[in-house]
Amino acid sequence: MPVDRAAARELVETLEELSRAQREAAMRVARDLDLPRAGLGALHLLTRCGRVQITDVAAKLRVDVSVASRQISALVDAGLVERTVDDDDRRARYLALTDAGREFAEASFERIDDLVSESFSDWSDDDLADAISRIRSVAAALTTTHDRAPAQEEIPAR
C-alpha cells in the first residue's frame, strides 16, 4: 500500500536531517583523528570484512569504484591499509588493514562510542534498542527498493 505523500515527504526530510547529523558527527571524529571523513567508512568496512578487493569496498559502501579507490589510496598513503597481489591470480589485488590501521580503527571506534554515549545519555535502553531496530528497518526498505530498481528499468515499456 502506498505511503501518504505528506508522510513520505516528512520521512525524506527526517532522513536528510539524520544524514546531516551523521555526517557532522563523522567529520568531528575524523577531524579529531586527523583522517578524511570519507576514509573513516572504508576503514571501518575493512575492520568488519577483513581482506577484500576494491570492488567489494565500492559495493559495500555503495559508491563508484573510482571513489572507493581514492578513499583507499588515502588510507594506503597514511600507512593504514596495504594492497597485496593474489598469489593464484596476479591480476587480483586485495586490501587489508595494517597493524597501524587496526590500532587507528580501534581508536576511531572508541571515539565514536564516546560520542554516541554522550549524545544518547538520556535515552533508556529500550528507547535505544527501538531506534536501532527502526533505523535498520528504514535502511533495509531503502536498500531493497534500490536493489530492485535496475531490474525494473529493464522491463520493456508497453
Side-chain angles (χ1 to χ4, degrees):
M1 172 170 87
V3 172
D4 173 75
R5 283 187 142 342
R9 183 159 298 169
E10 187 173 0
L11 176 61
V12 168
E13 290 171 1
T14 303
L15 289 171
E16 288 171 345
E17 289 174 31
L18 176 62
S19 178
R20 282 190 295 275
Q22 185 276 333
R23 191 171 44 252
E24 288 168 355
M27 284 190 316
R28 183 174 160 191
V29 169
R31 184 183 60 242
D32 289 352
L33 297 170
D34 195 29
L35 178 75
R37 181 183 61 84
L40 201 55
L43 186 74
H44 289 172
L45 175 70
L46 290 171
T47 302
R48 288 190 305 274
C49 297
R51 186 172 171 248
V52 295
Q53 292 185 329
I54 191 69
T55 53
D56 300 323
V57 172
K60 290 192 181 291
L61 292 178
R62 294 187 174 269
V63 297
D64 189 75
V65 172
S66 65
V67 172
S69 181
R70 281 192 302 275
Q71 292 175 5
I72 292 298
S73 289
L75 296 173
V76 168
D77 292 346
L80 303 175
V81 171
E82 64 183 351
R83 290 185 181 110
T84 58
V85 176
D86 187 311
D87 291 334
D88 296 328
D89 181 355
R90 304 296 295 168
R91 296 169 299 173
R93 307 244 185 278
Y94 285 94
L95 308 165
L97 292 176
T98 62
D99 290 341
R102 279 187 286 285
E103 289 175 19
F104 197 90
E106 185 56 38
S108 73
F109 283 126
E110 288 175 14
R111 181 67 190 105
I112 291 167
D113 292 347
D114 291 346
L115 180 62
V116 169
S117 181
E118 176 186 333
S119 299
F120 296 94
S121 63
D122 60 344
W123 285 41
S124 72
D125 289 345
D126 287 344
D127 287 344
L128 196 54
D130 185 48
I132 292 167
S133 175
R134 290 180 184 274
I135 291 169
R136 278 191 179 133
S137 294
V138 168
L142 291 172
T143 300
T144 299
T145 300
H146 177 269
D147 289 347
R148 274 194 316 244
Q152 290 175 348
E153 292 171 2
E154 294 172 4
I155 298 172
R158 294 181 192 193

